[in-house]
Amino acid sequence: MKTKNIQKLCLLALSVLLFTSCSKEAPNIFNMFTNVSVTYNSSDPRCVTDYKLINDKEEVWIDFTITSDKEDMYSYVIETSAGTATPSRITTPITDGTKRRSFSFVYKIPVTQMRDGLQSFRVYPLNEKGVYMGDGYKKVTVEQNPSYVILANRDIYMPDTVAKVLPSFFSLSDGTTYSYTNGATNAAKIDFGIYRTAVRDGQGIITGYVHNIYNTSAPATTFPIYDVSTWTKRLTKFSAPVASQGTIFTNSAFSGSTIETLAKARTINLNATTTGITSTSAVFFQTPEGKYGMLYFFFFTSDIDKKPYCNVSVKMQK
Protein backbone atom coordinates (compact mmCIF):
# COMPACT_ATOMS: atom_id res chain seq x y z
CA MET A 1 0.00 0.00 0.00
CA LYS A 2 2.83 2.40 0.84
CA THR A 3 4.40 1.76 -2.54
CA LYS A 4 1.11 2.56 -4.32
CA ASN A 5 0.71 5.79 -2.33
CA ILE A 6 4.25 6.86 -3.19
CA GLN A 7 3.54 6.19 -6.88
CA LYS A 8 0.36 8.29 -6.71
CA LEU A 9 2.22 11.16 -5.05
CA CYS A 10 4.94 11.01 -7.68
CA LEU A 11 2.37 11.11 -10.49
CA LEU A 12 0.59 14.01 -8.82
CA ALA A 13 3.84 15.95 -8.45
CA LEU A 14 4.74 15.28 -12.09
CA SER A 15 1.33 16.48 -13.26
CA VAL A 16 1.68 19.72 -11.27
CA LEU A 17 5.15 20.25 -12.73
CA LEU A 18 3.93 19.71 -16.28
CA PHE A 19 0.96 22.01 -15.77
CA THR A 20 3.20 24.72 -14.33
CA SER A 21 5.65 24.48 -17.24
CA CYS A 22 2.79 24.58 -19.84
CA SER A 23 1.10 27.56 -18.22
CA LYS A 24 3.96 29.92 -19.05
CA GLU A 25 2.88 32.75 -21.26
CA ALA A 26 3.63 32.32 -24.95
CA PRO A 27 5.65 35.06 -26.61
CA ASN A 28 3.51 38.06 -27.54
CA ILE A 29 3.76 38.47 -31.31
CA PHE A 30 3.19 42.20 -30.95
CA ASN A 31 6.40 42.46 -28.89
CA MET A 32 8.60 40.17 -30.99
CA PHE A 33 9.74 42.80 -33.50
CA THR A 34 10.77 45.87 -31.51
CA ASN A 35 13.64 47.08 -33.67
CA VAL A 36 11.46 48.24 -36.57
CA SER A 37 8.93 51.05 -36.56
CA VAL A 38 6.55 52.39 -39.17
CA THR A 39 5.23 55.95 -39.02
CA TYR A 40 2.33 57.21 -41.14
CA ASN A 41 2.84 60.90 -41.94
CA SER A 42 0.34 63.67 -42.67
CA SER A 43 2.28 65.58 -45.30
CA ASP A 44 -0.82 66.22 -47.44
CA PRO A 45 -4.60 66.42 -46.90
CA ARG A 46 -4.90 63.29 -49.03
CA CYS A 47 -2.80 61.25 -46.59
CA VAL A 48 -4.32 58.71 -44.23
CA THR A 49 -2.57 58.30 -40.88
CA ASP A 50 -5.13 56.22 -39.03
CA TYR A 51 -8.70 56.32 -40.46
CA LYS A 52 -10.10 58.26 -43.39
CA LEU A 53 -13.63 58.48 -44.83
CA ILE A 54 -13.74 59.24 -48.55
CA ASN A 55 -16.05 59.33 -51.55
CA ASP A 56 -15.59 57.43 -54.78
CA LYS A 57 -12.85 58.87 -57.04
CA GLU A 58 -11.15 60.70 -54.17
CA GLU A 59 -7.38 60.28 -54.08
CA VAL A 60 -5.76 58.68 -51.03
CA TRP A 61 -2.04 58.70 -50.17
CA ILE A 62 -0.05 56.67 -47.66
CA ASP A 63 3.05 58.65 -46.65
CA PHE A 64 5.16 56.29 -44.55
CA THR A 65 8.58 56.11 -42.96
CA ILE A 66 10.15 52.79 -41.94
CA THR A 67 13.12 52.71 -39.58
CA SER A 68 15.20 49.69 -38.56
CA ASP A 69 17.63 49.92 -35.66
CA LYS A 70 19.70 46.76 -36.13
CA GLU A 71 19.20 45.24 -39.59
CA ASP A 72 19.24 46.47 -43.17
CA MET A 73 15.99 46.57 -45.13
CA TYR A 74 16.03 45.35 -48.72
CA SER A 75 12.36 45.70 -49.72
CA TYR A 76 9.01 46.77 -48.35
CA VAL A 77 5.52 45.32 -48.66
CA ILE A 78 2.22 47.16 -48.95
CA GLU A 79 -0.53 44.79 -47.82
CA THR A 80 -4.19 45.51 -48.55
CA SER A 81 -7.07 43.79 -46.76
CA ALA A 82 -10.77 44.07 -47.50
CA GLY A 83 -13.51 41.97 -45.93
CA THR A 84 -12.78 38.25 -45.81
CA ALA A 85 -10.74 38.18 -49.03
CA THR A 86 -7.11 37.08 -48.91
CA PRO A 87 -4.90 40.17 -48.47
CA SER A 88 -3.06 41.39 -51.56
CA ARG A 89 0.61 42.31 -51.30
CA ILE A 90 2.91 44.47 -53.41
CA THR A 91 6.63 44.00 -52.75
CA THR A 92 9.04 46.74 -53.89
CA PRO A 93 12.86 46.64 -53.57
CA ILE A 94 14.77 49.36 -51.74
CA THR A 95 17.52 50.03 -54.26
CA ASP A 96 19.22 52.95 -52.51
CA GLY A 97 21.80 51.44 -50.13
CA THR A 98 21.84 54.59 -48.01
CA LYS A 99 18.18 54.09 -47.08
CA ARG A 100 18.30 50.58 -45.66
CA ARG A 101 17.86 51.79 -42.07
CA SER A 102 15.38 54.61 -42.78
CA PHE A 103 13.16 54.65 -45.82
CA SER A 104 10.29 56.99 -46.73
CA PHE A 105 7.82 56.93 -49.59
CA VAL A 106 4.41 58.25 -50.58
CA TYR A 107 2.20 55.50 -51.99
CA LYS A 108 -0.66 56.95 -54.03
CA ILE A 109 -3.41 54.35 -53.97
CA PRO A 110 -4.85 53.87 -57.49
CA VAL A 111 -8.45 55.06 -57.67
CA THR A 112 -9.33 51.77 -59.37
CA GLN A 113 -8.18 49.93 -56.24
CA MET A 114 -10.55 51.76 -53.93
CA ARG A 115 -13.83 50.02 -53.15
CA ASP A 116 -16.97 50.77 -51.21
CA GLY A 117 -16.66 49.95 -47.53
CA LEU A 118 -13.54 49.37 -45.45
CA GLN A 119 -10.01 48.62 -46.60
CA SER A 120 -6.95 48.46 -44.39
CA PHE A 121 -3.31 48.90 -45.39
CA ARG A 122 -0.09 47.75 -43.70
CA VAL A 123 3.48 48.57 -44.64
CA TYR A 124 6.41 46.44 -43.47
CA PRO A 125 10.02 45.74 -44.52
CA LEU A 126 11.80 42.52 -45.51
CA ASN A 127 15.45 41.75 -44.94
CA GLU A 128 17.98 40.53 -47.49
CA LYS A 129 16.51 37.02 -47.32
CA GLY A 130 12.96 38.26 -47.79
CA VAL A 131 12.01 37.66 -44.15
CA TYR A 132 9.47 39.86 -42.37
CA MET A 133 11.21 42.33 -40.03
CA GLY A 134 8.24 43.79 -38.17
CA ASP A 135 6.04 46.88 -38.20
CA GLY A 136 4.37 46.95 -34.80
CA TYR A 137 1.24 45.60 -36.54
CA LYS A 138 0.15 49.13 -37.36
CA LYS A 139 -2.38 49.72 -40.09
CA VAL A 140 -4.36 52.53 -41.64
CA THR A 141 -7.99 52.20 -42.67
CA VAL A 142 -9.90 53.84 -45.51
CA GLU A 143 -13.68 53.72 -45.68
CA GLN A 144 -15.40 54.64 -48.94
CA ASN A 145 -18.98 55.82 -48.91
CA PRO A 146 -21.42 53.73 -50.97
CA SER A 147 -21.05 54.62 -54.66
CA TYR A 148 -23.14 51.94 -56.35
CA VAL A 149 -26.39 50.04 -55.97
CA ILE A 150 -26.70 46.28 -56.17
CA LEU A 151 -29.95 44.55 -57.06
CA ALA A 152 -29.40 40.86 -56.41
CA ASN A 153 -31.17 37.81 -57.80
CA ARG A 154 -34.18 39.31 -59.54
CA ASP A 155 -36.34 36.92 -61.57
CA ILE A 156 -37.58 38.24 -64.90
CA TYR A 157 -40.05 36.10 -66.82
CA MET A 158 -40.24 35.57 -70.53
CA PRO A 159 -43.36 37.31 -71.92
CA ASP A 160 -46.63 35.43 -72.15
CA THR A 161 -48.52 36.18 -75.30
CA VAL A 162 -52.12 35.60 -74.18
CA ALA A 163 -52.85 36.91 -70.69
CA LYS A 164 -49.75 39.15 -70.81
CA VAL A 165 -49.40 39.20 -67.03
CA LEU A 166 -45.95 37.73 -66.49
CA PRO A 167 -43.36 40.28 -65.28
CA SER A 168 -41.08 40.57 -68.30
CA PHE A 169 -40.12 44.25 -67.95
CA PHE A 170 -37.60 45.62 -65.46
CA SER A 171 -36.92 48.96 -63.79
CA LEU A 172 -33.33 49.65 -62.78
CA SER A 173 -34.35 52.58 -60.61
CA ASP A 174 -36.47 50.57 -58.18
CA GLY A 175 -35.54 46.96 -59.00
CA THR A 176 -39.17 46.10 -59.77
CA THR A 177 -40.49 43.87 -62.53
CA TYR A 178 -43.60 44.77 -64.51
CA SER A 179 -45.91 42.91 -66.87
CA TYR A 180 -47.29 44.19 -70.13
CA THR A 181 -50.61 44.70 -68.34
CA ASN A 182 -49.26 47.16 -65.77
CA GLY A 183 -46.28 48.32 -67.80
CA ALA A 184 -47.94 51.23 -69.56
CA THR A 185 -48.69 53.09 -66.33
CA ASN A 186 -45.11 52.50 -65.16
CA ALA A 187 -43.38 53.01 -68.50
CA ALA A 188 -41.37 56.02 -67.29
CA LYS A 189 -39.51 53.68 -64.93
CA ILE A 190 -39.04 50.70 -67.28
CA ASP A 191 -35.51 50.28 -68.65
CA PHE A 192 -35.91 47.08 -70.61
CA GLY A 193 -38.02 44.10 -71.49
CA ILE A 194 -36.87 40.59 -72.30
CA TYR A 195 -38.06 38.10 -74.88
CA ARG A 196 -36.93 34.87 -76.51
CA THR A 197 -37.12 33.37 -79.98
CA ALA A 198 -37.14 29.67 -80.70
CA VAL A 199 -34.33 27.89 -82.54
CA ARG A 200 -35.61 25.06 -84.74
CA ASP A 201 -33.94 22.24 -86.61
CA GLY A 202 -34.66 21.20 -90.18
CA GLN A 203 -37.85 19.40 -89.14
CA GLY A 204 -39.19 22.43 -87.28
CA ILE A 205 -38.51 20.96 -83.83
CA ILE A 206 -37.46 23.50 -81.20
CA THR A 207 -33.89 22.83 -80.09
CA GLY A 208 -33.38 25.90 -77.91
CA TYR A 209 -34.04 29.60 -77.44
CA VAL A 210 -32.20 32.85 -78.01
CA HIS A 211 -32.79 35.51 -75.35
CA ASN A 212 -32.46 39.27 -75.85
CA ILE A 213 -33.43 42.50 -74.12
CA TYR A 214 -34.77 45.77 -75.55
CA ASN A 215 -35.82 49.21 -74.42
CA THR A 216 -39.21 50.59 -75.38
CA SER A 217 -37.65 52.78 -78.07
CA ALA A 218 -36.57 49.73 -80.03
CA PRO A 219 -38.32 49.19 -83.38
CA ALA A 220 -41.80 47.68 -83.16
CA THR A 221 -40.50 44.65 -85.04
CA THR A 222 -38.23 43.76 -82.10
CA PHE A 223 -41.08 42.08 -80.23
CA PRO A 224 -44.27 42.92 -82.13
CA ILE A 225 -46.56 40.88 -79.87
CA TYR A 226 -46.26 43.62 -77.22
CA ASP A 227 -47.25 47.00 -78.65
CA VAL A 228 -45.37 49.64 -76.64
CA SER A 229 -45.66 52.41 -79.23
CA THR A 230 -47.74 54.63 -76.92
CA TRP A 231 -45.61 54.05 -73.84
CA THR A 232 -43.39 56.72 -72.31
CA LYS A 233 -39.89 56.05 -73.62
CA ARG A 234 -36.89 55.60 -71.36
CA LEU A 235 -33.72 55.56 -73.45
CA THR A 236 -31.43 53.22 -71.54
CA LYS A 237 -28.71 51.98 -73.91
CA PHE A 238 -26.99 48.59 -73.89
CA SER A 239 -23.82 46.88 -75.01
CA ALA A 240 -23.76 43.63 -76.90
CA PRO A 241 -23.78 40.64 -74.51
CA VAL A 242 -20.39 39.62 -73.11
CA ALA A 243 -19.84 35.96 -72.16
CA SER A 244 -18.42 34.56 -68.89
CA GLN A 245 -18.63 37.63 -66.67
CA GLY A 246 -19.27 36.03 -63.25
CA THR A 247 -15.81 36.72 -61.83
CA ILE A 248 -15.79 40.25 -63.24
CA PHE A 249 -19.21 40.99 -61.72
CA THR A 250 -18.22 39.62 -58.32
CA ASN A 251 -14.61 40.72 -57.96
CA SER A 252 -14.00 43.67 -60.28
CA ALA A 253 -17.17 45.77 -60.11
CA PHE A 254 -16.67 47.01 -56.53
CA SER A 255 -17.27 50.75 -56.79
CA GLY A 256 -19.06 53.25 -58.96
CA SER A 257 -15.82 54.18 -60.73
CA THR A 258 -14.80 50.57 -61.46
CA ILE A 259 -18.27 49.86 -62.84
CA GLU A 260 -17.92 52.91 -65.07
CA THR A 261 -14.49 51.79 -66.27
CA LEU A 262 -15.79 48.31 -67.11
CA ALA A 263 -18.79 49.75 -68.95
CA LYS A 264 -16.79 52.30 -70.93
CA ALA A 265 -14.60 49.49 -72.22
CA ARG A 266 -17.66 48.38 -74.22
CA THR A 267 -19.65 50.10 -76.94
CA ILE A 268 -22.98 51.07 -75.39
CA ASN A 269 -25.25 52.19 -78.21
CA LEU A 270 -27.97 49.56 -78.60
CA ASN A 271 -31.72 49.88 -78.08
CA ALA A 272 -31.89 46.09 -78.25
CA THR A 273 -29.43 43.22 -78.14
CA THR A 274 -29.51 40.83 -81.07
CA THR A 275 -26.74 38.25 -80.56
CA GLY A 276 -28.34 36.39 -77.66
CA ILE A 277 -27.77 36.44 -73.91
CA THR A 278 -26.61 33.23 -72.25
CA SER A 279 -26.10 32.11 -68.67
CA THR A 280 -23.20 33.90 -66.88
CA SER A 281 -23.05 36.59 -69.55
CA ALA A 282 -23.43 40.32 -68.94
CA VAL A 283 -24.82 43.37 -70.67
CA PHE A 284 -23.38 46.77 -69.79
CA PHE A 285 -25.68 49.79 -69.89
CA GLN A 286 -26.02 53.53 -69.45
CA THR A 287 -29.22 55.10 -68.16
CA PRO A 288 -30.68 58.37 -69.52
CA GLU A 289 -29.29 60.03 -66.36
CA GLY A 290 -25.79 58.97 -67.39
CA LYS A 291 -25.32 56.21 -64.82
CA TYR A 292 -23.31 53.18 -65.88
CA GLY A 293 -24.08 49.64 -64.81
CA MET A 294 -23.78 45.92 -65.43
CA LEU A 295 -26.55 43.34 -65.87
CA TYR A 296 -25.37 39.85 -64.96
CA PHE A 297 -27.57 36.98 -66.19
CA PHE A 298 -26.91 34.10 -63.83
CA PHE A 299 -29.15 31.46 -65.38
CA PHE A 300 -32.18 30.76 -67.58
CA THR A 301 -34.67 28.15 -66.38
CA SER A 302 -38.39 27.49 -65.76
CA ASP A 303 -40.42 27.55 -62.57
CA ILE A 304 -42.57 24.73 -61.19
CA ASP A 305 -45.35 25.72 -63.60
CA LYS A 306 -42.91 25.51 -66.53
CA LYS A 307 -42.93 29.27 -67.02
CA PRO A 308 -39.49 30.32 -68.34
CA TYR A 309 -37.55 33.05 -66.58
CA CYS A 310 -34.01 34.30 -65.99
CA ASN A 311 -32.18 35.29 -62.82
CA VAL A 312 -30.49 38.68 -63.03
CA SER A 313 -28.29 40.73 -60.71
CA VAL A 314 -27.41 44.38 -61.27
CA LYS A 315 -24.61 46.70 -60.19
CA MET A 316 -25.15 50.37 -61.04
CA GLN A 317 -23.65 53.71 -60.08
CA LYS A 318 -25.59 55.66 -57.46
Side-chain angles (χ1 to χ4, degrees):
M1 290 294 291
K2 289 183 178 179
T3 302
K4 290 182 179 180
N5 288 336
I6 292 172
Q7 289 175 339
K8 289 180 180 179
L9 287 171
C10 289
L11 288 171
L12 179 61
L14 181 60
S15 299
V16 171
L17 180 62
L18 287 171
F19 177 79
T20 304
S21 63
C22 292
S23 65
K24 291 181 179 178
E25 290 187 4
N28 186 340
I29 193 168
F30 293 97
N31 298 325
M32 289 176 66
F33 304 96
T34 57
N35 299 314
V36 173
S37 65
V38 178
T39 303
Y40 295 102
N41 308 306
S42 57
S43 59
D44 186 276
R46 289 164 286 194
C47 292
V48 55
T49 59
D50 179 35
Y51 167 84
K52 191 177 185 70
L53 179 65
I54 66 167
N55 294 313
D56 188 27
K57 299 184 179 181
E58 282 189 35
E59 199 171 354
V60 180
W61 295 1
I62 301 176
D63 180 348
F64 63 88
T65 300
I66 316 173
T67 58
S68 175
D69 295 338
K70 295 184 178 181
E71 187 178 6
D72 285 352
M73 303 178 292
Y74 279 79
S75 60
Y76 64 91
V77 178
I78 296 177
E79 179 182 280
T80 306
S81 300
T84 59
T86 302
S88 63
R89 298 177 179 88
I90 301 172
T91 303
T92 305
I94 299 173
T95 56
D96 188 340
T98 65
K99 298 181 179 180
R100 299 204 184 282
R101 293 299 180 91
S102 181
F103 179 82
S104 296
F105 186 73
V106 178
Y107 176 62
K108 299 178 181 180
I109 305 172
V111 172
T112 54
Q113 184 181 334
M114 298 308 301
R115 63 176 64 228
D116 289 10
L118 294 171
Q119 281 190 104
S120 63
F121 300 85
R122 283 179 58 199
V123 179
Y124 55 83
L126 306 177
N127 64 16
E128 188 174 12
K129 295 181 179 180
V131 176
Y132 168 77
M133 296 174 63
D135 67 339
Y137 288 87
K138 289 183 179 180
K139 67 178 181 180
V140 294
T141 300
V142 179
E143 182 175 6
Q144 183 166 291
N145 283 317
S147 61
Y148 72 96
V149 175
I150 182 166
L151 306 172
N153 297 315
R154 304 305 169 98
D155 294 335
I156 307 175
Y157 277 79
M158 299 304 117
D160 55 324
T161 58
V162 180
K164 300 180 180 180
V165 294
L166 290 180
S168 60
F169 294 95
F170 191 76
S171 168
L172 293 166
S173 59
D174 61 13
T176 300
T177 53
Y178 297 96
S179 69
Y180 181 76
T181 302
N182 63 13
T185 56
N186 293 281
K189 297 186 289 184
I190 289 175
D191 290 275
F192 67 90
I194 193 167
Y195 71 100
R196 68 177 187 172
T197 53
V199 177
R200 300 177 186 272
D201 64 14
Q203 286 73 45
I205 299 173
I206 296 176
T207 59
Y209 293 92
V210 176
H211 303 85
N212 282 295
I213 61 174
Y214 64 102
N215 66 29
T216 54
S217 293
T221 55
T222 302
F223 188 63
I225 298 172
Y226 282 3
D227 180 8
V228 296
S229 59
T230 60
W231 287 20
T232 302
K233 308 301 182 184
R234 182 167 169 76
L235 300 178
T236 298
K237 297 286 188 175
F238 310 104
S239 73
V242 186
S244 304
Q245 292 294 293
T247 300
I248 299 297
F249 183 83
T250 302
N251 298 331
S252 299
F254 48 67
S255 67
S257 57
T258 56
I259 292 168
E260 181 176 340
T261 298
L262 290 167
K264 284 184 174 180
R266 309 290 173 178
T267 301
I268 301 176
N269 62 352
L270 301 177
N271 288 324
T273 63
T274 58
T275 56
I277 302 168
T278 57
S279 296
T280 74
S281 65
V283 173
F284 295 89
F285 64 86
Q286 186 179 24
T287 69
E289 296 78 22
K291 296 178 181 179
Y292 288 96
M294 183 178 184
L295 288 163
Y296 177 64
F297 292 81
F298 186 38
F299 58 79
F300 291 82
T301 188
S302 296
D303 64 15
I304 193 170
D305 296 319
K306 298 183 179 181
K307 296 173 182 176
Y309 71 94
C310 65
N311 182 266
V312 181
S313 291
V314 183
K315 288 185 177 180
M316 181 177 67
Q317 290 177 308
K318 287 180 73 96

